[in-house]
């Protein structure tokens, strides 16, 4: 398999540089004390006060540090050095305790010799990972016995919808079961409408639900809950409608499809 990392790291470094000033991430309000978390993940996480929490693919760290503000002892991991440096700088500037590590998620156990009460990951993470069996093993190794895993993520069905779908014509544009790497030309970021000066090549994978379950079950985790939602955290299609809480929905009267899922599991 070709090494996808140089291209994907370059892409996420570019996005981290844009996102620290993008309205979508609203770092100015975060600096003033506003949480970047939704009720949905807070409910799935439960009481995190005093717990050690590992946040996988933490991006620029605003969610990680929002979790720290709620009392968790947080460690964020991301393979983008730019994202990790924005997160580390925010932690220092705002005096919020947090540790950030630059690493590929799938190689983390080689670098991190400890276990956590909670492992958390969210919103746009799985499509960047080639191997969910290995991902499950990483989570299994880094969780304490009795520790909880929580994920809130774009639904695989939403991922395979064609980018040019119209409200009256939802179409499949990407394979659901194909494990091959998809190489895509990215013209910009989900966080702004401003295109890149130069498009960037990136590599992604579709992961069917069964692979997500298999990765976690294969690592000895017990699945405690699984829910699907008709909303998502970003504007997947230009014609989606937002609500007062910042969620994006398909317009009313359309066929309903899942756009997001949450899953919680325990290491027995
Ligand atoms: C869509 S963002 C996650 C979003 C995050 N929940 C947020 O809203 O800020 C995906 C993140 O995954 C990271 N990433 C992608 N592949 C990775 C890998 N193999 N190991 C570690 N981080 C990775 C990227 O650098 C990026 O910061």
């Amino acid at each position: 398999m070709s090494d996808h990392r140089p291209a994907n790291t370059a892409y996420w470094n570019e996005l981290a540089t844009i996102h620290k000033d993008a309205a979508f991430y609203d770092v100015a309000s975060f600096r003033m004390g506003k949480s970047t978390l939704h009720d949905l993940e807070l409910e799935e996480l439960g009481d995190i006060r005093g717990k050690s929490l590992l946040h996988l693919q933490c991006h620029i760290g605003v969610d990680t540090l929002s979790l720290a503000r709620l009392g968790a002892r947080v460690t964020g991991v991301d393979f983008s050095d730019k994202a990790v440096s924005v997160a580390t700088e925010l932690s220092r500037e705002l005096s919020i305790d947090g540790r950030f590590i630059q690493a590929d998620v799938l190689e983390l156990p080689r670098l991190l010799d400890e276990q956590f009460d909670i492992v958390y990951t969210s919103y746009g993470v799985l499509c960047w990972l080639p191997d969910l069996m290995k991902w499950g093993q990483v989570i299994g190794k880094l969780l304490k016995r009795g520790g909880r895993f929580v994920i809130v993520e774009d639904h695989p069905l939403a991922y395979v919808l064609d980018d040019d779908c119209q409200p009256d014509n939802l179409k499949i544009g990407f394979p659901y079961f194909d494990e091959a790497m998809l190489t895509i030309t990215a013209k910009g970021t989900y966080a702004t409408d401003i295109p890149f000066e130069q498009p960037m090549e990136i590599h992604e994978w579709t992961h069917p639900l069964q692979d997500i379950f298999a990765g976690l079950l294969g690592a000895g985790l017990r699945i405690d809950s699984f829910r699907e939602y008709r909303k998502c955290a970003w504007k997947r299609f230009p014609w989606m409608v937002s609500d007062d809480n910042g969620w994006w929905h398909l317009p009313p009267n359309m066929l309903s499809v899942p756009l997001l899922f949450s899953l919680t599991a325990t290491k027995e």
Side-chain angles (χ1 to χ4, degrees):
M1 185 175 61
S2 72
D3 191 352
H4 56 281
R5 278 171 293 199
N8 284 1
T9 312
Y11 173 71
W12 280 107
N13 275 342
E14 180 71 19
L15 263 55
T17 308
I18 298 170
H19 289 175
K20 67 181 171 36
D21 301 316
F24 181 90
Y25 279 91
D26 195 8
V27 176
S29 299
F30 169 76
R31 279 195 168 91
M32 309 277 282
K34 188 174 174 213
S35 169
T36 57
L37 302 165
H38 304 89
D39 287 350
L40 194 159
E41 55 263 27
L42 289 174
E43 276 161 29
E44 297 292 33
L45 282 161
D47 186 1
I48 58 172
R49 273 172 304 174
K51 304 239 170 83
S52 58
L53 186 152
L54 176 67
H55 184 189
L56 301 178
Q57 296 174 251
C58 65
H59 197 41
I60 57 173
V62 284
D63 286 1
T64 326
L65 294 171
S66 293
L67 293 164
R69 278 175 170 155
L70 293 174
R73 288 179 284 117
V74 298
T75 301
V77 173
D78 202 284
F79 75 173
S80 154
D81 48 298
K82 289 276 187 321
V84 165
S85 92
V86 173
T88 307
E89 193 42 49
L90 282 170
S91 160
R92 263 196 227 118
E93 175 196 326
L94 301 172
S95 302
I96 307 172
D97 277 344
R99 171 176 56 159
F100 291 94
I101 299 172
Q102 184 201 349
D104 189 311
V105 162
L106 300 187
E107 295 180 358
L108 201 48
R110 286 206 280 122
L111 305 170
L112 199 55
D113 185 20
E114 60 186 272
Q115 292 185 314
F116 296 82
D117 296 316
I118 301 169
V119 176
Y120 171 63
T121 194
S122 67
Y123 300 112
V125 285
L126 297 182
C127 65
W128 306 104
L129 304 179
D131 183 345
L132 293 195
M133 290 310 285
K134 203 167 169 190
W135 171 76
Q137 293 298 321
V138 170
I139 294 161
K141 281 199 185 102
L142 293 170
L143 265 183
K144 287 181 187 168
R145 201 161 287 280
R148 294 182 68 235
F149 172 67
V150 176
I151 178 169
V152 182
E153 173 60 321
D154 294 333
H155 198 288
L157 181 59
Y159 184 80
V160 302
L161 290 175
D162 194 296
D163 293 334
D164 295 326
C165 273
Q166 293 304 314
D168 57 353
N169 187 14
L170 285 183
K171 292 183 295 188
I172 301 296
F174 300 94
Y176 184 80
F177 287 109
D178 196 343
E179 288 171 5
M181 185 171 84
L182 299 167
T183 296
I184 296 165
T185 303
K187 299 191 180 114
T189 149
Y190 51 88
T192 76
D193 292 332
I194 305 164
F196 294 153
E197 281 177 18
Q198 290 292 329
M200 300 180 81
E201 197 164 84
I202 53 173
H203 308 294
E204 299 184 20
W205 287 264
T206 308
H207 295 296
L209 281 177
Q210 65 178 2
D211 288 5
I212 301 168
F213 280 84
L216 298 170
L217 293 169
L221 272 69
R222 181 191 72 215
I223 310 289
D224 296 322
S225 69
F226 173 74
R227 298 188 181 86
E228 295 167 301
Y229 307 89
R230 300 156 195 251
K231 59 188 181 184
C232 62
W234 61 294
K235 203 176 179 183
R236 170 75 176 85
F237 302 107
W239 37 263
M240 288 180 86
V241 286
S242 65
D243 66 22
D244 293 343
N245 298 315
W247 292 110
W248 291 90
H249 303 259
L250 301 176
N253 307 324
M254 269 188 69
L255 292 176
S256 64
V257 288
L259 299 175
L260 190 71
F261 76 90
S262 64
L263 180 154
T264 65
T266 302
K267 177 168 165 182
E268 304 222 271

